Amino acid sequence: METTNMINSRKAIREYKGQMRDWQLDSILKAGYAGPVGMGEYENYRFTVIQDEKVLSKMNGIYDAPTVIVISVKDPGQMEFISTGCVAQNMALEAENQRVGANLNMACLGSIPEGVIPEGFTPTFAITLGLTDYEFSPRAISLKRFKTNFVK
């Protein structure tokens, strides 16, 4: 899918029809790995892919998604929170490219069971993923959606 069309087709998916294939997950993770991280400090970030139904059943706000990817950081500050949002957006766009439903999610972070996230890391962002029947198609985005100030 062409980049602008993909961006204009993006939609938060909250209904899932099943588990994606491993190759789709690999492609989504690779898109995350390509994401920008402040100061290039990739060693301070971890991805945790949760597909265990027992763990997922304990998490709130995941819309019965069969996969949740949690991005965690050592000692997160503003730069790390911004970086994890960029990384998650890369994954969401690649999910759409694979016709996999995705929802950027921070509401579930407080319900991650103890022992799931590596010790010393704080969950900062999550993305719920699964197969969907939704047909992604570009929509018109108004140039007035956000108030914009120009300084020329």
Side-chain angles (χ1 to χ4, degrees):
M1 187 180 292
E2 191 259 319
T3 304
T4 302
N5 285 340
M6 185 181 312
I7 291 169
N8 291 336
S9 299
R10 188 208 56 79
K11 177 177 176 45
I13 301 297
R14 294 180 179 91
E15 291 184 27
Y16 302 99
K17 304 296 181 190
Q19 186 63 269
M20 69 187 119
R21 305 270 190 234
D22 286 344
W23 64 266
Q24 291 169 309
L25 176 59
D26 290 346
S27 183
I28 292 165
L29 288 169
K30 188 175 180 181
Y33 301 153
V37 166
M39 306 301 291
E41 295 176 346
Y42 293 94
E43 67 277 4
N44 293 328
Y45 293 74
R46 292 292 182 276
F47 289 179
T48 301
V49 179
I50 305 169
Q51 295 180 320
D52 183 310
E53 291 179 18
K54 290 178 187 173
V55 174
L56 292 170
S57 71
K58 296 175 183 176
M59 295 176 66
N60 299 322
I62 62 167
Y63 310 102
D64 295 321
T67 298
V68 177
I69 300 174
V70 179
I71 306 166
S72 302
V73 183
K74 284 185 183 177
D75 301 316
Q78 183 178 16
M79 178 178 68
E80 290 79 16
F81 279 97
I82 292 168
S83 293
T84 57
C86 293
V87 167
Q89 180 69 358
N90 268 19
M91 288 193 282
L93 290 173
E94 180 55 24
E96 180 181 318
N97 188 50
Q98 297 297 330
R99 303 290 187 219
V100 171
N103 185 32
L104 300 175
N105 187 311
M106 291 180 287
C108 72
L109 297 179
S111 66
I112 299 169
E114 193 171 320
V116 172
I117 301 302
E119 189 173 329
F121 287 82
T122 301
T124 55
F125 218 107
I127 181 170
T128 58
L129 298 159
L131 297 180
T132 182
D133 289 336
Y134 182 78
E135 288 293 325
F136 295 99
S137 60
R139 63 191 190 280
I141 306 293
S142 170
L143 292 175
K144 296 179 182 181
R145 190 172 195 178
F146 289 93
K147 299 285 186 204
T148 305
N149 301 320
F150 291 92
V151 179
K152 293 185 178 188

